[in-house]
């Protein structure tokens, strides 16, 4: 989708700044007094550097203001001078158009003046949201070359060359950990589209030989860096012949990459690699590389801690593997640093672009479609215990549109009044209207562990989230604050509200815990028997699966670690057991049926009396199940992102949606408004119901039922 660039240019004069903006919505120009004198700016930048260090320091000094306060005040002061009057009006128009048309907005910032290059513009504050602008939309340093390099048409995989410098006379960096984090990030996406090769050596000769003898699209450098005032040039530190540090200046870099016509992106995980001299913005290492012909460079404008660098790099490449443009990948990675580290280092990475082109790669060919198994004819038999292979009608999915893109998330859940909650990997619980994607609430994390599961109260004001460490938070969406925090003492991702909202159930090991609305534990039940020396095992690990309250809230259904589903009463007694051969991944029920989705790709339908009625094979693990409350239909989302609808009366099935990634959830909207899906990458989409489901309603109306 074509983006919406908002160009912001700031020119430093003797006594004033000239601020200009250009966009599709129009242009504007104002003259303003600088927010600081030259001396005041140096003092303010020094205080900002101290605040940045304090934000990740373990030391705490009593009676001092928080680092966040001074940095936010700095950003607010900049904003009040630069984004005001006609500039503010034009930015508001662009933001409104971007939201209305569903186009990604980005701010392309260009500065001209001896002092403007040293200002960390990433701390600008969004005037309307009172939040940092760069955490909401990409803020990019626009060098605006006359002849920007076009996107490279390539045949996947994307080839990344990594170099981790280890000079003997400099502090060691966590290059090995960064390599492992980047590789894990790509593996989580099961991505064969990115191939990362790490250079065994760290001398400039090693880097030169590798770049000039291979075809590389991305260069990733983990090293120390700095700015040489005498030479007015940035540099990075590699190893010399004797193993000690050797400065590799921007000019040296330029000569090296001149022989690399396929190189389109460089990531400099090196301190001060974005710092330039007072007279020329192109003297920084990053800007010099852009000037030499690299379309996009990510660099650091301050020293950055190893941990923050690790988080940024792994998150950035995960987004690149997802196919995001480089500017949005940087923005998501900044958010990841802020939420995981809790420091101000999220603004240290800076993106330099040669033009407003943010897709630096263009695929030369579409990836081949995966072979599909030919559909089989339905086989309805009188024997109720029948394996029914669904007929998958070749009806094209009818997507209404993308509601939102929340970034990587583990789960979505539909609540009352078509409200949709998402458990995002940046630690936030975001709630949208599932019909138009409008953001209703955004609950900040009370701890650093990511949310992994969600459960709605019957009241639209409350939703519960469970986190990586097992803790449960019940949120008040009106105030966006925690009502209570429950620490059950074990890790799991299962929880469920009762239909009346009085009880919240969750699993810990092989036990089921039930809490009241105030967070007090009222029951602890053994869900399935323990094995001598440990729990019953499923493969390498015995873990509980999903759980839900039965209609009427009299019982709890829980998928146990011994591959069974059990119906428990208030005393922990097993009223009914449904055995399975493999782990149960998903669970749903109505007043008449219990449906279970398993690791073996089978969806089984059971009576409440424990009788297996039929089973349906989908080939891939059935990750999510959802019954419609208005039609006799079950939705099945498998691990490859195929959503299939099954008519419970006839056994008829059709493919309802094809998702671009592993599903995070599927749900039917109220009043026949369609259904929603979400992927683990965070794309939330709304779809229309197939015609054969809508025909059920038409037949129902004609029959007068």
């Amino acid at each position: 989708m074509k983006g919406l660039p908002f160009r912001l240019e700031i020119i430093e004069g003797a006594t004033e700044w000239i601020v200009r903006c250009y966009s599709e919505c129009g242009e504007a120009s104002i003259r303003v007094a600088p927010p600081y004198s030259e001396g005041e700016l140096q003092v303010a930048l020094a205080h900002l550097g101290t605040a940045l260090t304090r934000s990740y320091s373990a030391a705490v000094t009593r009676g001092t203001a928080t680092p966040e306060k001074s940095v936010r005040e700095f950003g607010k002061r900049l904003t009040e001078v630069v984004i005001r009057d006609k500039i503010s009006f034009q930015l508001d128009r662009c933001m409104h158009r971007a939201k209305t048309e569903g186009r990604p907005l980005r701010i392309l910032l260009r500065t001209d003046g001896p002092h403007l290059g040293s200002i960390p513009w990433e701390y600008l504050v969004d005037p309307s949201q009172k939040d940092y602008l760069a955490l909401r939309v990409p803020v990019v340093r626009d060098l605006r070359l006359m002849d920007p390099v076009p996107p490279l048409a390539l045949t996947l995989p994307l080839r990344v060359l990594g170099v981790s410098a280890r000079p003997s006379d400099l502090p060691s960096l966590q290059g090995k950990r960064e390599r492992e984090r980047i590789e894990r990030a790509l593996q989580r996406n099961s991505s064969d589209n990115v191939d990362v090769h790490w250079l065994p050596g760290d001398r400039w000769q090693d880097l030169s030989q590798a770049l000039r003898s291979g075809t590389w699209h991305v260069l990733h450098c983990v090293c120390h860096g700095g700015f040489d005032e005498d030479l007015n040039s940035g540099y990075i530190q590699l190893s010399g012949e004797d193993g000690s540090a050797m400065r590799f200046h921007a000019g040296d870099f330029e000569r090296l990459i001149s022989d690399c016509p396929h190189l389109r992106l460089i990531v400099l995980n090196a301190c001060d690699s974005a710092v330039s001299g007072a007279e020329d913005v192109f003297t920084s290492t990053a800007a010099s590389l852009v000037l030499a012909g690299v379309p996009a460079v990510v660099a650091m404008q301050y020293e950055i801690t190893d941990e923050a660098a690790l988080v940024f790099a792994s998150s950035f490449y995960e987004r690149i593997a997802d196919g995001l443009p480089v500017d949005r990948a940087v923005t998501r990675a900044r958010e990841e640093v802020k939420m995981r580290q809790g420091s101000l280092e999220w603004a240290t990475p800076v993106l330099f672009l040669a033009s407003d082109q943010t897709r630096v790669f263009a695929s030369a060919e579409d990836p081949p479609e995966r072979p599909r198994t030919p559909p089989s004819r339905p086989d309805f038999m009188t024997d109720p215990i029948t394996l029914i292979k669904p007929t998958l009608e070749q009806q094209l999915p009818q997507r209404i549109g993308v509601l939102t893109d929340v970034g990587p998330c583990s789960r979505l859940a539909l609540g009352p009044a078509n409200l949709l909650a998402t458990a995002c990997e940046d630690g936030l619980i975001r709630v949208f209207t599932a019909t138009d994607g409008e953001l209703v609430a955004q609950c900040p994390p009370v701890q650093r562990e990511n949310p992994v599961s969600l459960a709605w109260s019957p009241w639209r004001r409350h939703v519960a989230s469970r986190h990586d460490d097992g803790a449960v938070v019940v949120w008040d969406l009106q105030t966006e604050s925690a009502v209570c925090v429950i620490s059950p003492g074990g890790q799991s991702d299962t929880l469920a509200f009762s239909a009346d909202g009085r009880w919240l159930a969750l699993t810990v090991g092989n036990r089921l815990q039930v809490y009241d609305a105030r967070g007090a534990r009222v029951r602890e039940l053994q869900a399935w028997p323990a094995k001598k020396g440990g729990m019953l095992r499923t493969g390498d690990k015995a873990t509980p699966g999903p759980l839900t309250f039965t209609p009427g809230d009299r019982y709890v259904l829980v998928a146990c670690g011994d591959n069974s589903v059990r119906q428990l009463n208030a005393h922990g007694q097993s009223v009914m057991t449904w055995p399975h051969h493999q782990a149960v991944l998903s669970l749903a029920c109505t007043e008449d049926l219990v449906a279970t989705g398993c690791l073996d790709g089978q969806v089984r339908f059971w009576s409440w009396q424990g009788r297996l009625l039929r089973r349906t094979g989908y080939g891939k693990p059935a990750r999510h199940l959802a019954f419609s409350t208005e039609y006799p239909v079950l939705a099945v989302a498998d691990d490859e992102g195929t959503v299939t609808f099954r008519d419970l009366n006839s056994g008829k099935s059709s493919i309802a949606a094809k998702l671009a990634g592993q599903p995070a959830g599927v749900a039917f909207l109220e009043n026949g408004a369609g259904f929603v899906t979400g992927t683990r990458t965070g794309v939330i989409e709304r779809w229309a119901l197939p015609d054969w489901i809508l025909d059920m309603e038409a037949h129902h109306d004609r029959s007068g039922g």
Side-chain angles (χ1 to χ4, degrees):
M1 178 181 295
K2 183 181 177 182
L4 181 56
F6 180 84
R7 296 185 182 275
L8 184 63
E9 185 174 15
I10 306 167
I11 303 170
E12 182 180 6
T15 59
E16 62 183 6
W17 287 0
I18 301 173
V19 184
R20 299 171 179 166
C21 69
Y22 313 85
S23 72
E24 292 179 14
C25 300
E27 55 186 72
S29 177
I30 61 174
R31 294 175 179 267
V32 296
Y36 300 96
S37 66
E38 181 178 348
E40 291 172 339
L41 178 61
Q42 298 308 314
V43 172
L45 292 177
H47 287 166
L48 189 145
T50 301
L52 179 61
T53 303
R54 287 184 58 226
S55 73
Y56 57 77
S57 173
V60 178
T61 304
R62 293 185 179 181
T64 60
T66 62
E68 176 82 16
K69 181 178 179 181
S70 59
V71 172
R72 188 175 289 273
E73 288 176 350
F74 177 86
K76 184 179 179 182
R77 188 166 179 178
L78 278 182
T79 305
E80 289 173 346
V81 170
V82 173
I83 304 178
R84 58 183 293 183
D85 304 333
K86 292 183 287 185
I87 305 294
S88 177
F89 175 74
Q90 290 293 338
L91 180 58
D92 287 344
R93 291 184 65 188
C94 268
M95 287 184 166
H96 178 73
R97 175 175 289 189
K99 183 177 180 180
T100 302
E101 299 178 0
R103 297 168 61 187
L105 175 71
R106 57 180 172 272
I107 296 175
L108 301 173
L109 178 68
R110 183 179 177 88
T111 60
D112 184 2
H115 303 103
L116 300 182
S118 62
I119 295 176
W121 298 98
E122 285 68 24
Y123 287 124
L124 284 170
V125 176
D126 186 338
S128 61
Q129 300 292 336
K130 309 303 181 185
D131 193 10
Y132 295 111
L133 197 59
L135 289 174
R136 292 183 171 270
V137 297
V139 175
V140 177
R141 304 299 179 96
D142 175 28
L143 300 181
R144 207 176 313 166
L145 300 179
M146 295 302 293
D147 186 20
V149 179
L152 175 68
L154 59 86
T155 301
L156 296 174
L158 184 72
R159 303 197 68 219
V160 181
L161 176 64
V163 56
S164 178
R166 304 173 297 278
S168 59
D169 55 344
L170 290 179
S172 61
L173 299 171
Q174 298 186 31
K176 182 179 179 181
R177 286 187 62 199
E178 183 156 340
R179 284 183 298 202
E180 293 172 349
R181 292 278 285 267
I182 291 172
E183 289 166 2
R184 285 202 303 270
L186 298 176
Q187 289 170 359
R188 279 199 297 270
N189 286 280
S190 301
S191 177
D192 296 325
N193 295 336
V194 182
D195 178 24
V196 182
H197 173 77
W198 288 92
L199 198 62
D202 65 340
R203 302 176 307 159
W204 75 268
Q205 294 97 327
D206 300 321
L207 179 59
S208 174
Q209 182 179 359
L211 280 174
R212 287 169 172 161
S213 61
T215 299
W216 304 103
H217 308 127
V218 181
L219 174 63
H220 184 95
C221 299
V222 183
C223 52
H224 291 281
F227 187 82
D228 191 324
E229 296 286 352
D230 294 332
L231 296 179
N232 196 33
S233 172
Y235 62 85
I236 64 171
Q237 303 262 35
L238 299 177
S239 291
E241 292 292 340
D242 60 354
S244 61
M246 172 185 175
R247 290 186 177 183
F248 199 66
H249 286 87
D252 302 321
F253 239 137
E254 288 180 40
R255 291 193 302 273
L256 183 59
I257 65 173
S258 63
D259 295 331
C260 306
H262 298 93
L263 195 62
R264 290 296 186 271
L265 170 63
I266 295 180
V267 178
L268 296 175
N269 198 340
C271 300
D272 299 331
S273 51
V275 176
S276 64
E279 300 302 323
D280 186 1
V281 69
F282 285 102
T283 54
S284 76
T285 307
S288 296
L289 295 175
V290 174
L291 188 61
V294 181
V297 177
V298 177
M300 307 298 158
Q301 61 182 330
Y302 291 106
E303 292 186 1
I304 187 168
T305 61
D306 282 348
E307 188 59 34
L310 291 173
V311 172
F312 179 85
S314 59
S315 176
F316 175 74
Y317 281 108
E318 187 171 358
R319 272 59 176 191
I320 291 293
D322 288 339
L324 283 187
V326 64
D327 61 331
R328 292 175 62 194
V330 167
T331 303
R332 297 285 178 79
R334 283 173 177 162
E335 187 179 38
E336 193 87 2
V337 173
K338 184 178 190 302
M339 303 312 301
R340 290 198 176 207
Q341 298 302 111
S343 72
L344 295 165
E345 293 176 283
W346 60 265
T348 296
V350 177
L351 173 61
F352 291 83
L353 288 181
S355 69
D356 63 356
Q357 173 62 260
T358 58
R359 289 198 177 273
V360 294
F361 301 106
S363 179
E365 57 183 15
D366 293 328
E369 292 187 1
R370 296 177 180 173
R372 293 184 296 179
T373 303
S376 58
R377 297 182 61 185
D379 183 17
F380 300 110
M381 301 178 65
T382 55
D383 183 358
I385 308 176
T386 304
L387 173 60
I388 299 180
K389 296 182 180 180
T391 297
L392 300 180
E393 293 189 346
Q394 301 308 307
Q395 176 179 331
L396 293 177
Q398 302 176 45
R399 187 180 72 172
I400 297 175
V402 176
L403 290 174
T404 186
D405 185 345
V406 298
C409 69
S410 56
R411 195 68 58 89
L412 65 82
L414 187 69
N418 282 339
L419 290 179
L420 190 69
T422 57
C424 303
E425 287 188 13
D426 59 9
L428 294 173
I429 306 299
R430 293 182 173 89
V431 179
F432 305 86
T433 54
T435 51
D436 58 13
E438 180 182 356
L439 182 65
V440 175
Q442 185 167 269
C443 301
V446 295
Q447 52 200 9
R448 292 188 179 180
E449 290 77 4
N450 289 334
V452 293
S453 190
L454 297 166
W456 275 94
S457 159
W459 317 114
R460 58 182 294 173
R461 184 166 177 170
H462 296 127
V463 67
S465 59
R466 193 157 189 181
H467 298 252
D468 266 338
D469 62 351
V472 175
V473 182
V474 180
W475 300 95
D476 184 333
L477 299 181
Q478 182 170 326
T479 61
E480 299 183 340
S481 61
V483 175
C484 65
V485 179
I486 301 169
S487 300
Q491 292 185 341
S492 178
D493 65 352
T494 57
L495 73 164
F497 267 109
S498 62
D500 60 8
R502 295 179 58 192
W503 315 114
L504 180 63
L506 52 97
T507 54
V508 180
N510 70 330
R511 305 190 71 80
L512 179 75
Q513 296 180 0
V514 181
Y515 294 80
D516 64 16
R518 298 185 301 275
R521 186 189 301 176
V522 295
R523 291 280 191 280
E524 184 170 36
L525 314 172
Q526 183 170 298
W528 71 92
K531 182 181 178 182
K532 186 177 181 180
M535 284 186 291
L536 291 168
R537 301 176 68 83
T538 303
D540 292 328
K541 190 176 182 182
T543 56
L547 65 85
T548 184
F549 282 85
T550 65
D553 293 339
R554 292 186 59 193
Y555 305 102
V556 175
L557 281 183
V558 57
C560 303
D562 59 355
N563 296 340
S564 69
V565 174
R566 283 185 167 83
Q567 182 181 5
L568 305 177
N569 64 17
H571 302 290
Q573 297 169 330
S574 180
V575 178
M576 186 58 62
T577 300
W578 293 268
H580 295 74
H581 298 295
Q582 291 196 24
V584 176
L585 305 178
S586 50
L587 180 64
C589 64
T590 69
E591 293 184 354
D592 303 314
L593 285 175
V594 176
T596 56
C598 297
L599 188 63
D600 59 6
Q602 301 286 320
V603 174
R604 293 170 172 83
F605 297 89
W606 309 80
S607 72
W608 283 104
Q609 291 73 39
R611 184 183 183 189
L612 178 60
L613 302 177
R614 62 175 67 121
R615 62 183 186 271
T616 305
Y618 289 91
K620 302 298 179 182
R623 186 63 59 177
H624 299 279
L625 301 178
F627 279 111
S628 169
T629 58
E630 300 178 56
Y631 310 99
V633 175
L634 175 73
V636 181
D638 67 31
D639 259 355
E640 289 195 353
T642 299
V643 180
T644 305
F645 284 167
R646 178 175 178 81
D647 183 341
L648 300 178
N649 294 330
S650 67
K652 176 181 180 180
S653 295
S654 70
I655 294 176
K658 286 279 194 178
L659 310 183
Q662 189 177 19
V666 58
F668 289 93
L669 299 179
E670 296 177 2
N671 303 320
F675 67 102
V676 292
T677 61
T679 64
R680 296 294 296 266
T681 57
V683 178
I684 314 298
E685 298 172 287
R686 180 183 170 197
W687 306 76
L689 294 174
D691 292 339
W692 62 267
I693 293 182
L694 298 176
D695 288 343
M696 292 180 178
E697 182 180 29
H699 176 74
H700 178 78
D701 292 340
R702 286 195 301 268
S703 63

